Amino acid sequence: MIKFLIRTGVFLLAAAVGIIVTSWIFSGFDLEGFDLMWSEPIGFVVAVVVFAAVQAIISPFIARVARRNAPALLGGVGLISTVIALVVAVLVTDGLDIYGVLGWVLGSLLVWLVTMLATLLLPAILIKDAVENKRDDD
């Protein structure tokens, strides 16, 4: 149960990092199409939770369908589930707006890439911090 909660926390944090970094990249390069509603902090939290939940639910389904019907798509399961999760998050929350071809294509690609990297790196960072804190306590 504890592993499940830790994995869920890491996945939620990775989703938040992916969405935030993508928003920063878009604003840093003065691109339009991917906006976080910073005036709606609850909307942002709900958007992250919806995004992470939809992606966690839909990824195994898409992987199963791809494995059976189109094995060449297996590598794109994460990207496909990211696009679907972003569509749902945009439709049901007020915390995230994506519009235009650039927003949907580049935004989805960046969220997928940053979320994937954060999912890989966050556990190592968190474990390192926990070990250092434990050493400091001793």
Side-chain angles (χ1 to χ4, degrees):
M1 182 66 169
I2 299 231
K3 283 185 181 182
F4 172 75
L5 292 175
I6 291 171
R7 286 182 185 162
T8 302
V10 167
F11 192 65
L12 284 169
L13 189 56
V17 168
I19 292 171
I20 289 170
V21 169
T22 300
S23 178
W24 286 343
I25 289 171
F26 266 75
S27 64
F29 285 100
D30 200 27
L31 300 172
E32 294 183 5
F34 196 99
D35 293 322
L36 276 177
M37 302 299 122
W38 292 107
S39 60
E40 296 283 335
I42 299 298
F44 165 70
V45 171
V46 172
V48 167
V49 170
V50 167
F51 169 78
V54 170
Q55 192 170 28
I57 292 167
I58 198 105
S59 289
F61 172 74
I62 293 173
R64 193 174 323 119
V65 170
R67 192 174 297 114
R68 249 187 249 144
N69 301 319
L73 289 179
L74 275 174
V77 167
L79 185 56
I80 294 166
S81 66
T82 297
V83 172
I84 293 169
L86 285 172
V87 168
V88 173
V90 167
L91 291 175
V92 301
T93 71
D94 293 330
L96 178 64
D97 277 340
I98 304 174
Y99 49 91
V101 174
L102 184 65
W104 281 105
V105 173
L106 185 58
S108 297
L109 187 62
L110 286 171
V111 169
W112 168 72
L113 182 63
V114 174
T115 302
M116 178 185 59
L117 291 173
T119 302
L120 292 172
L121 297 175
L122 281 173
I125 293 168
L126 295 174
I127 289 171
K128 180 182 173 190
D129 287 345
V131 169
E132 287 176 1
N133 288 339
K134 181 67 175 168
R135 285 185 185 156
D136 290 344
D137 290 344
D138 292 336

